[in-house]
Amino acid sequence: LIVGKEMCQRYNMINLHPAAPGGPTGTWQEVIWQLIGSKTRETGVMLHLVTPELDQGPPVTCCTFPIRGDPFDKYWEDIERHLPGEIKKQDNNNPLFKLIRQHGLAREFPLIVSTLKAFSQGRIKISKEKKVVDAEGKSIKGYNLTDEINGVVKGAYQK
């Protein structure tokens, strides 16, 4: 769903996006293939303000995670042996693709909940000028919740 300028001016809306601020845009599938194609080392999940420009709104909150090291490297080795031909096929059953999705998905709901908490506690706000601001009213480029979210995710994997 792409929202028009009038809706964006009238309402503050937030979108969940499967990449870190400054990362690839598009659907979650497109994002993951762009990450693989560019051999990215880290990605994340963010909530951003909705603007008429798809996936270009200012970050509200985010968290990041590495996609290199354990358990990713063995799948990167397979990808790198087959580049670029395998990338063009964009097989969504590819183990690296599925692992990146799993790690991103594990962070999406905790990020939503932590973002709602941050708003309710006044740690972040959206100003009248449609800027994301901290508790003191200073403009910020997204509230980084990486430590909080990774703590939740780590606890979930240990259960």
Side-chain angles (χ1 to χ4, degrees), residues 10-35:
R10 186 169 192 167
Y11 301 104
N12 290 328
M13 296 174 281
I14 298 173
N15 182 56
L16 176 65
H17 185 68
T25 62
T27 67
W28 64 267
Q29 295 95 334
E30 292 166 341
V31 165
I32 294 172
W33 284 115
Q34 289 175 63
L35 295 168

Side-chain angles (χ1 to χ4, degrees), residues 66 78 88 98 133 152:
D78 290 341
K88 290 180 182 173
K98 289 168 57 172
V133 298
V152 170

Side-chain angles (χ1 to χ4, degrees), residues 120-137:
S120 70
Q121 295 168 349
R123 292 184 281 158
I124 55 172
K125 299 173 187 172
I126 299 174
S127 72
K128 292 177 186 175
E129 297 81 24
K130 304 262 185 204
K131 295 185 187 269
V132 180
V133 298
D134 64 14
E136 287 82 41

